[in-house]
Amino acid sequence: MKKNMKIVLGLALLAGLVSSCNLDKEPLNGPATGTFPTNETEAESGLLGAYKALTLLDASSTPFLHVLDNITDIGYARPGNNYTPGITSSYTTDNALATKPWTAHYKTLARVHLVLDNLAALQGKIAPEKLKQLDAELRFIRAYVYSQLIELYGGVPLLTKNVPLGEANIGKTDAAEIRQWIMDELTAIADALPVNQSAFGKVRASSVAAYMLKARVALYAGKYELAAESADKAIKLSDGLHELTPFNESINYAGKNHVAGEPDVSNIFGHEGFKSSKEWIWVMEYNVSVPGNVHNQQYYAASRLGRGVAYWGPTQDFIDSFQASDGLPVTESAVYDAAHPFAHRDPRLDMYCVRPGARFLGYQFEMNSAFKNVANYWPVLNGTSEKPAVVANADQTNAARSYSGYLWRKHVDIKDFATTSVNGQSDLNIGLFRYAELLLIYAEAKIEANKIDNSVYDAINQIRLRAHMPPLRTGLSQAELRKALRYERKVELAGDGFRWYDLRRWGIASQILNGNLYLNRDANQWSSAVLVKIDDNGSPVYNKELANKVFGVQDVIFKINKDELWPIPESEIVMVPDLKQNPGY
């Protein structure tokens, strides 16, 4: 059913893009919009073209949001000119990763304005409620795009219509002003949107999504009471529509070795999840039937034996952040054993990450040189044998194996295994808004506003209990709840693209991203003495003398008053004289 829906949307997208093919020319200078759209069909097609434009932002053929966490403390990318500069304060004004979002987002804005600029001319040709909804959806996309731009670049040119070439010398609008503009826009349009757009696979915006975006922007702006109010509205509108999806039975494999089975979260983050999970509020749709509307995320995330290139994975710092199964940090837990570090842990370690001794994409995953051969479970999975085969361990011998010693499991679906290769392609959708994040927005806003009540505990505990973790004890102070909240955001939202924003808005980036990040490419054993404590932000503190002997080290640098923002593309500065570069570049 979902695949058929993708094909229908794909035909509409193709129709819409015929009228916007010139939008790839200049990010700030959209074409003359003329009379488009002239009818409801064209307006719908143009709207779907704007939604599709969101899918075009990627890096290493991976949707951008799933790249971001790999330039923080929790993820690590293969060292190189695009990704390492993000953690070593060495971005340049032509760095591909740092400048790509600017161009992509302004192209999306041009697609929005192509339709929005002339939408009023359709009054009398389209039913008033339909016209109102089209207007609201286009403005929602625009608000979302600006919410992304200001978090990466700070103040940016605020365009509310396409700008002719001769009028394109537009300077920055302050980020705080844009945040307020976004919130005002969302207030104006939220109730004009349907409460639910599941008929479109949650690709199109709903009023739940609008209130959630408003809550997120307010939270990032430090407007905690407004964030709590907006999140509460979104939660109430979600009643009967959105909820957490339980992990499937493979959560029973968490903490066990490859023989037990393979942890799997595809019922949430895979093809099955995007088809049926109520957790998703808004998603980006990919469609193999539409030219250019696929990605190769699986290839970059998969293991070498899994036909991938193991391009990025969790850091040792992130692995050590996971609590023990009793809900305590590993430095305080009686059930944690450094000799068996993956047993008795928060099950999300195995549900979201891949570590030595686990099964991934049908293979035993090992990074230590002692494992010359590993188990291949595909004969068992395919029903051709009752026992796994034995294969040479390419995950350990390949020179470009995982650089961190771990891999991401969360956004990889084993169903795409057959097409995971350098020439492979996937149309696995990408989630933008998830009910778990909404609960955490609400909880954080209430905690920071110091309006703590049982609803805060309920929001966090829903997520913890889904993960088979113990609930928070009652009677916690504001500081203790803040610590609990930051742990949940770090773990539950890992790989979703929020960590960079959280580090900056919490004011801890200069603390976390200065010094060393630890990697364990050789899967070395470590003792409990390596870890000193887990701090109030849920980050491990190491005995550096011991850690430096056991783990690989990546030096990281964060310069205050520079690295809070990314550089504006130099090409934009040249074209738009009133546009000033961000500090430090």
Side-chain angles (χ1 to χ4, degrees), residues 326-367:
D326 58 6
L328 294 174
V330 294
T331 53
E332 302 173 20
S333 172
V335 302
Y336 173 74
D337 179 6
H340 303 93
F342 308 120
H344 306 296
R345 301 291 291 277
D346 184 331
R348 288 172 290 186
L349 190 159
D350 273 336
M351 300 305 282
Y352 293 165
C353 308
V354 183
R355 45 76 180 178
R359 191 193 298 185
F360 184 47
L361 292 176
Y363 293 91
Q364 175 186 354
F365 179 75
E366 303 289 355
M367 292 292 292

Side-chain angles (χ1 to χ4, degrees), residues 360-580:
F360 184 47
L361 292 176
Y363 293 91
Q364 175 186 354
F365 179 75
E366 303 289 355
M367 292 292 292
N368 191 279
S369 59
F371 294 88
K372 305 298 182 185
N373 299 297
V374 293
N376 170 12
Y377 286 91
W378 280 102
V380 179
L381 297 173
N382 292 331
T384 59
S385 174
E386 294 182 355
K387 295 181 179 180
V390 176
V391 295
N393 186 13
D395 287 330
Q396 195 282 322
T397 57
N398 192 293
R401 61 194 183 277
S402 168
Y403 281 82
S404 73
Y406 304 93
L407 294 171
W408 293 112
R409 187 189 302 276
K410 191 177 193 181
H411 298 297
V412 176
D413 192 335
I414 196 170
K415 291 182 177 65
D416 279 342
F417 176 82
T419 57
T420 298
S421 70
V422 68
N423 296 316
Q425 56 187 15
S426 173
D427 63 359
L428 178 65
N429 288 348
I430 302 298
L432 295 172
F433 290 2
R434 184 161 63 98
Y435 191 70
E437 186 208 350
L438 177 58
L439 291 173
L440 293 174
I441 289 172
Y442 174 78
E444 183 177 358
K446 294 274 285 186
I447 292 168
E448 294 304 331
N450 206 18
K451 304 287 186 180
I452 297 166
D453 55 26
N454 288 337
S455 68
V456 174
Y457 288 88
D458 178 67
I460 296 175
N461 285 335
Q462 283 187 57
I463 295 169
R464 289 181 65 81
L465 292 173
R466 190 259 294 270
H468 295 192
M469 287 293 284
L472 300 178
R473 60 182 176 85
T474 58
L476 297 178
S477 67
Q478 183 188 33
E480 289 170 326
L481 279 169
R482 180 183 294 121
K483 180 177 181 178
L485 181 284
R486 291 185 178 186
Y487 171 79
E488 290 302 324
R489 280 194 68 94
K490 184 177 186 179
V491 168
E492 180 58 38
L493 303 183
D496 297 347
F498 296 105
R499 184 62 176 171
W500 170 238
Y501 305 139
D502 287 352
L503 289 175
R504 290 183 309 129
R505 67 188 182 85
W506 291 337
I508 62 174
S510 61
Q511 168 192 335
I512 301 296
L513 292 177
N514 269 319
N516 299 330
L517 285 182
Y518 288 108
L519 318 168
N520 197 6
R521 201 180 191 204
D522 296 325
N524 293 326
Q525 188 68 45
W526 65 93
S527 71
S528 58
V530 167
L531 274 170
V532 176
K533 66 176 182 177
I534 305 297
D535 70 15
D536 288 344
N537 297 305
S539 295
V541 177
Y542 293 93
N543 178 322
K544 289 189 176 183
E545 182 179 356
L546 296 178
N548 289 351
K549 293 177 182 179
V550 177
F551 302 131
V553 178
Q554 169 66 60
D555 294 333
V556 290
I557 302 170
F558 184 94
K559 295 179 181 177
I560 296 174
N561 297 325
K562 172 180 180 279
D563 293 319
E564 293 86 354
L565 301 175
W566 285 9
I568 296 171
E570 182 61 28
S571 58
E572 296 292 335
I573 301 295
V574 171
M575 286 193 301
V576 185
D578 284 352
L579 190 59
K580 305 303 179 186

Side-chain angles (χ1 to χ4, degrees), residues 79-116:
N81 292 332
N82 283 334
Y83 302 106
T84 307
I87 54 174
T88 56
S89 190
S90 51
Y91 275 143
T92 59
T93 57
D94 61 355
N95 177 277
L97 179 67
T99 59
K100 199 171 187 179
W102 178 284
T103 302
H105 284 318
Y106 275 106
K107 286 178 180 177
T108 299
L109 291 173
R111 283 182 165 86
V112 167
H113 292 144
L114 180 71
V115 185
L116 192 59

